[in-house]
């Protein structure tokens, strides 16, 4: 086990009425809040918007709204939100939605405490040192941003997608009402499942040794995802599976599974470029790329891929041909994604040509080689894009 530091100050509440607690939780932080949300029909027609406003008003919290968050959140809206916070001396940011809303809220919270352009943090021109407190009402389990220390943002002006990591970006509270997830369409449900499964994979495929505790924890979370995914594919209204996924998304990405081990994160970085260039849905980039990445790097740590195949997908180990066992595990990973109707080729997500492969590969490696299991340069990344065609 490697040395580590782990911090998770977030207060988590899972309950059928959890969303209605937002007013009292915000009030503990500030009398003024910026309410960030998608601004889509669901927010209003479902009554969620009205319930949030009612809860804030009941707690005597003054609120300002920032609707209009898009998937693959954009820096333009963040700049507007940061300006609102400064103008009205807002003391807290409340995100009501999924990962894109929460990442936007975190970026706004950073920008509100900074005199320059918030993109400076994402382009690594500045180091974040402070942010407004953020609270979340989670409506789409997927990214785990509601418990993590990170925020991902896209800049259409430069065609870049980048992240920021800081423990003070972890939300002060996260409220989980599983009823809010029962209307999520199958497509979004599937991509959410893939995202959280991939978050575990990024931590599991590690070069650290003697990490038995977190190995078994990662494997247990992945097995639970397989069980609950099967349940939801049979019945999208399965309340218990929805509730478990709300918690699974957090456990998969709050850093606990990474304690004492190094991590990879190449696949997420490679996929982020597809989102930046083609506006591809994040989960779809992972279902396409993870099996390709695995095939490209598995020889770097064959025993770990054999262990993955055996413990997660129940592949019997062939001690005379361990490579065969590893490849069968990768095949079953791809089969799992396909069984839910997820894309597994770039063509399926609308990437018809290789004209941007080189640029995306260079963008992925613009801060240096990527990947903890095997360091990848731009040439390696370009090969992985080609494998995914």
């Amino acid at each position: 086990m490697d040395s580590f530091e782990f911090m998770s100050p977030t207060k988590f509440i899972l309950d059928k009425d959890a969303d209605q607690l937002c007013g009292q939780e915000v009030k503990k932080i500030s009398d003024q809040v910026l309410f960030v949300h998608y601004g889509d029909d669901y927010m209003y027609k479902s009554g969620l918007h009205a319930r949030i406003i009612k809860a804030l008003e009941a707690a005597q919290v003054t609120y300002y709204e920032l609707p209009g968050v898009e998937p693959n959140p954009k820096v333009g809206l963040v700049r507007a939100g940061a300006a609102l916070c400064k103008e009205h001396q807002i003391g807290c940011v409340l995100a009501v939605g999924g990962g894109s809303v929460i990442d936007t809220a975190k970026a706004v919270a950073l920008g509100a405490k900074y005199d320059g352009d918030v993109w400076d943090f994402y382009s690594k021109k500045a180091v974040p040192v402070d942010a407004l407190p953020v609270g979340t009402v989670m409506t789409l389990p997927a990214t785990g941003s509601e418990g993590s220390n990170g925020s991902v943002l896209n800049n259409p002006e430069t065609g870049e997608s980048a992240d920021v990591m800081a423990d003070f970006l972890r939300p002060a509270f996260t409220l989980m009402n599983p009823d809010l997830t029962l209307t999520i369409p199958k497509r979004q449900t599937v991509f959410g499942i893939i995202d959280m499964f991939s978050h575990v994979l990024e931590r599991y495929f590690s070069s650290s040794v003697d990490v038995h505790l977190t190995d078994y924890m990662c494997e247990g979370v992945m097995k639970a995802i397989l069980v609950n995914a099967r349940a939801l594919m049979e019945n999208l209204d399965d309340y218990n599976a929805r509730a478990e996924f709300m918690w699974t998304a957090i456990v998969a990405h709050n850093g606990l599974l990474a304690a004492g081990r190094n991590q990879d994160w190449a696949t997420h970085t490679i996929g982020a470029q597809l989102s930046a260039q083609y506006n591809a849905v994040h989960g779809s980039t992972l279902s396409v790329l993870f099996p390709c990445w695995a095939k490209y790097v598995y020889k770097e740590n064959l025993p770990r891929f054999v262990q993955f195949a055996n413990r997660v997908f129940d592949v019997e180990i062939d001690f005379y041909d361990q490579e065969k066992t590893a490849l069968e595990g990768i095949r079953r990973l791809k089969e799992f994604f396909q069984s839910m109707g997820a894309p597994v080729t770039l063509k399926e997500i609308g990437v018809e040509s290789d004209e941007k492969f080189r640029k995306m590969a260079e963008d992925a490696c613009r801060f240096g080689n990527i990947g903890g299991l095997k360091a990848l340069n731009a040439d390696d990344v370009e090969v992985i894009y080609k494998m995914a065609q």
Side-chain angles (χ1 to χ4, degrees), residues 48 67 72 145 176 209 212 263-264 280 292 325-326 357 388-389:
L48 178 58
N72 301 318
S145 187
M176 299 170 282
V209 297
H212 307 296
Q263 306 170 64
D264 192 77
C292 298
T325 304
F357 284 4
Q389 285 180 296

Side-chain angles (χ1 to χ4, degrees), residues 69 79 85 92 113 134 137 144 168 171 174 200 205 306 310 334:
V69 177
R79 289 168 177 149
C85 289
C92 178
K113 303 284 279 187
V134 173
V137 176
F168 55 77
T174 284
V200 185
F205 287 114
V306 170
N310 176 248
K334 183 176 180 179

